[in-house]
Amino acid sequence: MQNKKDFISDLENKLMETRWMYPALGLLILSMMGGIYAFSLYYSPLQQAYGLESISQLAFAFSLITISYSLFIIPAGVFYDRTGPRIPVLLGALLIFLGYLIGWFMQNIEDWNIAMILYYIGLGILPGFGIAVIDAVPRPLAAKWFPDRTGTAVGIVAFGFGIGAAVVTPVIRYFLSITDVFHTFLYMGTIYFIIIASTGLLLREPPVNYMRKDDVPEFSLSRALRDRRFHILWLSFAFSSFAGLMVIGNAVPILEEGISEQEVISAFLIITSFFNAGGRILWGTILDRTGAWRAMEMNFLITAITLFAISYGYRSPVSVILLGGLIYANYGGLLALFPSATAIFFGKKYLGRIYGAVFTSWGVAGLLGALSGGLIKDLTGSYVSSFYFAMAMSLLAALLVYLGSKYYQN
């Protein structure tokens, strides 16, 4: 008769065989949410539908997505920690669907001043909340299933957000070619709901103490907020994201300043999106091999060196694509490094809410990064100084992590 010890061992072996499904499911979910990076495809048909000339009114919905996403990420993490993975994912899918359903209903309103309110609620605020509720789940869940290979598992999940635009863009373009933008909202909302909700039903937490082979205490959010490592993570995430987003948020005008060929600009945007996605798996794997402190330090230093190089090479098509690709890959890697480091430093029991708190720094960087790059361009007449400023931010992030590694020696 099989004893209890052998039974537990057999159970753990079976879980080991099937656990790779969770990073794969997380990748699929995040690839749907990464479709927000293709949101600008709706601008032109909306302009035609309402006779608008302004783009800024339409683009503001995208800003509302990022703002509501950043603001809601902490309560979303608390919600996940309390309920498990399925309910948040289902709720988030429903919020996104309801938002796009409101977008479909806009066809009944001819006055843009009224339709605009529905547009901002349905295509801005509700999807932002939905994405936050969903995004609080896949990366922490992958970290829980892979305490031995946290970086790799989280990197696979994060890869989904990186390729989201490439996955969703052809689908949106197809619907826009056969119907109007309002029905496209309905179809895309339905697709998002079906894929995210059905995938979410397959998610589940690992058993208590599953493969727990470390001595990391399980931090509460309040305890983590008082820990020096949290402060280092928050600031270094803000500085490193700021550096990446300053370049990414101004990519097209930077290329137009250095290179006039539209073909090169189009190639740059396509190629760097794959660098961005691939960097998430690459840096997650590097973290598993070198440790969190070392991997972050390497990422920031390589980014700083690359920013210095691109300040001289952004007028060459070949160098700007290669160097730009490296910047995008390192930026993408941040979305694997920081959730993994958070799990390693503070445990996984309350990872949803703690990483949510760390992630607010990305919201700050997203708000200020692209704006600062454009402001430097306006003041100096060139983007060269913005590269130097971004380099300084990366070096500052590297210094913080270096000091943290020396203090904690792990």
Side-chain angles (χ1 to χ4, degrees), residues 31-99:
S31 70
M32 292 295 98
M33 297 196 303
I36 63 169
Y37 291 122
F39 190 76
S40 59
L41 290 172
Y42 300 125
Y43 296 165
S44 179
L46 283 171
Q47 282 182 300
Q48 295 176 20
Y50 288 101
L52 301 175
E53 294 183 2
S54 172
I55 288 289
S56 61
Q57 287 183 318
L58 298 171
F60 185 62
F62 183 80
S63 298
L64 288 174
I65 293 174
T66 59
I67 292 169
S68 56
Y69 172 31
S70 299
L71 289 176
F72 204 64
I73 192 68
I74 295 179
V78 174
F79 186 53
Y80 160 57
D81 289 336
R82 290 181 176 176
T83 65
R86 294 178 181 175
I87 294 177
V89 172
L90 292 175
L91 176 60
L94 181 60
L95 287 171
I96 293 173
F97 174 73
L98 290 177

Side-chain angles (χ1 to χ4, degrees), residues 70-383:
S70 299
L71 289 176
F72 204 64
I73 192 68
I74 295 179
V78 174
F79 186 53
Y80 160 57
D81 289 336
R82 290 181 176 176
T83 65
R86 294 178 181 175
I87 294 177
V89 172
L90 292 175
L91 176 60
L94 181 60
L95 287 171
I96 293 173
F97 174 73
L98 290 177
Y100 277 75
L101 191 62
I102 291 174
W104 169 72
F105 183 77
M106 285 169 56
Q107 66 182 312
N108 299 309
I109 301 175
E110 296 182 0
D111 186 348
W112 168 246
N113 292 321
I114 299 175
M116 180 176 62
I117 298 173
L118 295 180
Y119 174 66
Y120 289 153
I121 295 173
L123 279 305
I125 296 173
L126 284 179
F129 285 162
I131 291 171
V133 175
I134 296 169
D135 196 34
V137 175
R139 278 173 276 219
L141 182 64
K144 292 177 181 180
W145 277 102
F146 286 84
D148 54 332
R149 301 181 66 181
T150 301
T152 301
V154 173
I156 291 172
V157 174
F159 182 86
F161 223 127
I163 63 169
V167 172
V168 172
T169 293
V171 183
I172 295 176
R173 287 191 181 278
Y174 170 74
F175 286 130
L176 289 175
S177 70
I178 64 172
T179 188
D180 57 58
V181 65
F182 306 109
H183 282 84
T184 299
F185 287 147
L186 177 63
Y187 298 150
M188 292 308 301
T190 302
I191 290 173
Y192 290 146
F193 178 79
I194 291 174
I195 294 178
I196 294 173
S198 60
T199 304
L201 290 172
L202 301 175
L203 301 177
R204 67 184 181 92
E205 296 281 287
V208 177
N209 294 327
Y210 167 74
M211 283 189 62
R212 186 160 179 80
K213 300 175 181 177
D214 54 58
D215 298 319
V216 178
E218 299 290 359
F219 280 63
S220 65
L221 176 58
S222 61
R223 182 183 174 190
L225 291 174
R226 297 192 299 269
D227 192 280
R228 187 174 301 179
R229 288 171 297 182
F230 177 88
H231 305 150
I232 293 172
L233 285 179
W234 198 97
L235 289 171
S236 60
F237 198 6
F239 293 146
S240 57
S241 298
F242 187 101
L245 291 169
M246 180 180 286
V247 176
I248 294 170
N250 291 275
V252 172
I254 287 172
L255 292 168
E256 289 175 344
E257 178 182 315
I259 302 168
S260 59
E261 294 88 345
Q262 290 298 314
E263 294 81 3
V264 175
I265 295 176
S266 298
F268 178 91
L269 295 175
I270 295 172
I271 293 172
T272 52
S273 67
F274 287 99
F275 273 94
N276 185 344
R280 301 168 191 234
I281 297 179
L282 172 64
W283 281 105
T285 304
I286 291 173
L287 179 143
D288 286 336
R289 295 184 178 181
T290 66
W293 293 115
R294 182 61 175 165
M296 289 188 290
E297 186 180 345
M298 291 169 57
N299 180 288
F300 307 154
L301 288 175
I302 293 173
T303 297
I305 294 170
T306 307
L307 286 164
F308 180 77
I310 204 171
S311 68
Y312 291 93
Y314 76 107
R315 300 183 186 277
S316 165
V318 175
S319 64
V320 77
I321 288 177
L322 292 177
L323 295 172
L326 189 54
I327 292 171
Y328 274 68
N330 284 5
Y331 169 75
L334 302 180
L335 282 305
L337 290 175
F338 281 92
S340 300
T342 304
I344 292 169
F345 295 158
F346 304 117
K348 301 176 177 67
K349 184 176 181 179
Y350 300 110
L351 181 56
R353 65 189 71 179
I354 297 174
Y355 177 64
V358 172
F359 189 76
T360 58
S361 63
W362 178 89
V364 175
L367 181 63
L368 299 177
L371 178 63
S372 298
L375 181 60
I376 291 172
K377 161 69 173 178
D378 293 339
L379 293 174
T380 66
S382 172
Y383 275 105

